[in-house]
Amino acid sequence: TLERNPGLKLILSHGGGTLPFLRGRLDLAYNAPKYENNPDCRANISKPPSEYLNQLYFDTAVASPESLHFLIDLVGAERVVFGTDDPFEIADTGGKMALPTLEERTASERDAIRGGTISALISR
């Protein structure tokens, strides 16, 4: 889908779940050598699977400072948008977990995550 629709804008909730953490693992079958090589893993895509993550956006509802820092460092602040788990009680309601972590980032990163990126996405 991402190959056929490079302009598609998807925002993954909960920081994309385990997807960002598994970025390197996604490429294993695509780059498999010799006997493990399976042409089906390349049949419908023209680049390693991890590169498609550069087309995705991720929210900040990850529930830990370490995870949010990891996500921002991995995909870049321009691919992260502010998100909450509202209206659920056992969650990052109102972004109370994410906001202190964002204070530890640069002003340009905070501006992008707090609204700059989503504004740009909506206006496209």
Side-chain angles (χ1 to χ4, degrees), residues 52-89:
Y52 293 96
L53 269 72
N54 298 329
Q55 291 175 235
L56 302 173
Y57 295 84
F58 306 84
D59 81 356
T60 60
V62 296
S64 83
E66 298 84 3
S67 296
L68 186 52
H69 284 303
F70 172 79
L71 179 65
I72 296 167
D73 291 342
L74 182 71
V75 303
E78 68 282 357
R79 294 267 168 210
V80 179
V81 299
F82 186 76
T84 72
D85 283 322
D86 289 333
F88 303 103
E89 291 177 9

Side-chain angles (χ1 to χ4, degrees), residues 3-20:
E3 176 84 20
R4 291 187 315 268
N5 302 284
L8 182 64
K9 305 299 182 212
L10 295 175
I11 301 172
L12 305 182
S13 63
H14 302 187
T18 60
L19 188 60

